[in-house]
Every structure is written in structure tokens, then in C-alpha cells.
Amino acid sequence: SSAPPPQPARADRVAHFPRFIHTQSAKSAKMYCKNRLSNTKYGINTLGIYAQFLPMSILEQLERNTNRYFLFIAILQLDPGLTPTNPLTTWLPLAIIFFVTAVRELNDDMQRLAADRTANNRTYLVARDHEWSQCTSENVCVGDLILIDKEHEVPADCVLLASSSADGSVHLETANLDGETDLKVRRAMPLTACLGLRLSPQLCASMEMEVAGIAGTELAGVVRLGGQACGVSEAQAMPQGAVVRTAEWALGLVVYT
């Protein structure tokens, strides 16, 4: 008998698992994680950083072989029978190195916390309950229809539905994501591009999204509207952190937070 066909790797199966999204749906909003951004190293808020910083910083510095070596030498120098050298000649420089490194790490983490708060508190127009309302970036949910103005960052991974351009196109700057300064063109699917803002917030769409690739670098899916279906590809992908440059506004559907 012939051997059974090989099964795909677990990572491949997970990467191709479809994600079903209904616009303005409380179920979709609760099913997926929040959009809160956190790049801090020692905690998610000021109190958490100060509470965890000292032990974590010391443990992190002790991971370096050089620091462990000098700490071992300093401990040995505490025994006058082993060495006549004053222990301060090793303990003082070691303490200064630990202190300066810790202060620098703490300052960097506080700056990251400030940047996170700025990003999380940016406001956008979001369609919920069939009407537009102001919403902060951290409260954006999967399934939200979101209006992104020119020169504003995309707060979450979105699919482009329409824009102020006649052809539904928008140019994105992704320099802070991949370092490329060339603008990338994204075009809305014909099914929604022709409707513009008229398709919101009364849009009734059911979208099936699939990340085609382990690294999540490709986008594939289907959007259904009024009995019609249209494919979604990377040409409609607006990644989180990209900046809208040409169109006055871009309308997107949040698919990943």
C-alpha cells in the first residue's frame, strides 16, 4: 500500500488558519486581542517599571561573563587571607558600572513608555453601531471600520476599502517598518473602492482573512458585500505603523491588532 501523504508542519497549519471577521461585530472585537502597544522592557506602566526594574536589571547585567568574573573576584577579595588588596578597588568600579548601566536602561525604558502612551492615545474615527465615533488607538478592535487621515499612522493591520482618490489608491510610507523610503501603492478592491464613504458605517460585510506564510508577510482573503465576493491580496494591505502620504483619507477594515 502507498504511504500516507506527508502532513504539513505545525507552523504551516497555524499560518494558514483562516480568520473570520464581521465588521462592527462585538463578537469579533472580543475574540481577538486588544490593540494596546507596549515596547517597554520592565513593565507596562510607571509603577510596574519601578517595581521590577532593579532585580531585572541586576540579573540582566549578571548575564554578561565580564560582570560575573569581576563579581567573583570582588567576593574573593572580601577574604583578607586570600589577597591583601583592598576590596574597594574592585567593588567600587563594579558598582559604578552597574549603576550607570541601570540608569541608562531605566531612562530608555521610560522613553519607550512615553512613546507607547503617545501612540496608544492617538484618536481615530471608527464606525461602531452604525455611526462614527472617536476612538483611541489602544481601543481599536478587529472588525472596526477606521478612517485614517493623511500624514497619520495606521494604528493596526488593515485592509484598504476606499480612499479619497478616484481610483481608491493610497501611497504608504513604511520607512519606520522596513527602512525603505520609497512610497508603496495600495489600491482598494473594486467592490468597495467605487462606494467611498457611502459604504460606511452601514457596510455589512463578512470577511475571511488568511495569512499565507509563516512570517505573515503575505495577505490573502475574501470580502463579501451585498451578495458579491472579491479577493483580497497584499495590494490592499496597510500594515500597522505605515503612514498615509498622498490621499486625504483612507478607509480600512481592521483585521489584526
Side-chain angles (χ1 to χ4, degrees):
S1 61
S2 60
Q7 294 294 322
R10 182 179 183 275
D12 293 333
R13 297 198 299 269
V14 173
H16 289 79
F17 190 80
R19 167 175 287 207
F20 297 92
I21 300 170
H22 298 269
T23 61
Q24 308 179 69
S25 168
K27 182 179 179 181
S28 293
K30 294 178 180 179
M31 187 179 300
Y32 304 108
C33 64
K34 298 293 185 181
N35 196 48
R36 181 181 177 86
L37 180 66
S38 179
N39 292 310
T40 53
K41 192 175 183 179
Y42 300 106
I44 61 174
N45 52 43
T46 304
L47 182 61
I49 290 176
Y50 282 121
Q52 303 179 62
F53 165 71
L54 187 59
M56 291 181 66
S57 177
I58 292 175
L59 290 175
E60 180 181 338
Q61 294 190 59
L62 288 177
E63 291 178 356
R64 301 168 186 164
N65 292 331
T66 305
N67 289 343
R68 288 203 298 265
Y69 169 77
F70 282 107
L71 179 62
F72 177 70
I73 296 299
I75 293 174
L76 291 179
Q77 288 182 341
L78 293 176
D79 186 353
L82 294 177
T83 174
T85 308
N86 190 336
L88 283 179
T89 58
T90 302
W91 280 101
L92 185 58
L94 188 64
I96 293 175
I97 292 173
F98 272 58
F99 176 77
V100 172
T101 303
V103 169
R104 184 187 61 191
E105 291 290 336
L106 178 60
N107 180 65
D108 291 345
D109 215 39
M110 295 304 293
Q111 290 182 3
R112 286 191 288 266
L113 178 62
D116 289 346
R117 285 176 174 171
T118 300
N120 288 329
N121 290 327
R122 291 194 184 105
T123 57
Y124 296 87
L125 274 178
V126 173
R128 287 180 182 171
D129 299 326
H130 305 292
E131 63 180 6
W132 291 108
S133 60
Q134 292 282 346
C135 179
T136 58
S137 176
E138 65 179 346
N139 290 320
V140 169
C141 300
V142 171
D144 283 345
L145 294 172
I146 185 168
L147 194 65
I148 307 165
D149 293 328
K150 184 178 181 180
E151 306 299 332
H152 283 62
E153 282 191 6
V154 180
D157 291 342
C158 300
V159 168
L160 178 63
L161 299 180
S163 75
S164 60
S165 302
D167 60 352
S169 65
V170 63
H171 289 75
L172 300 178
E173 180 183 309
T174 59
N176 57 339
L177 300 178
D178 53 21
E180 296 184 9
T181 56
D182 294 338
L183 299 181
K184 294 179 173 61
V185 182
R186 295 291 185 265
R187 298 185 185 278
M189 63 198 80
L191 180 63
T192 58
C194 61
L195 298 178
L197 286 178
R198 288 179 297 165
L199 58 78
S200 303
Q202 288 78 23
L203 176 67
C204 296
S206 173
M207 178 171 287
E208 176 184 332
M209 295 302 304
E210 179 180 351
V211 177
I214 297 175
T217 56
E218 299 179 6
L219 182 65
V222 176
V223 60
R224 297 181 177 88
L225 176 62
Q228 294 180 291
C230 185
V232 177
S233 67
E234 191 177 354
Q236 289 83 43
M238 296 197 300
Q240 181 184 29
V243 181
V244 176
R245 287 300 185 199
T246 53
E248 292 301 320
W249 53 264
L251 180 67
L253 173 64
V254 179
V255 293
Y256 286 95
T257 53

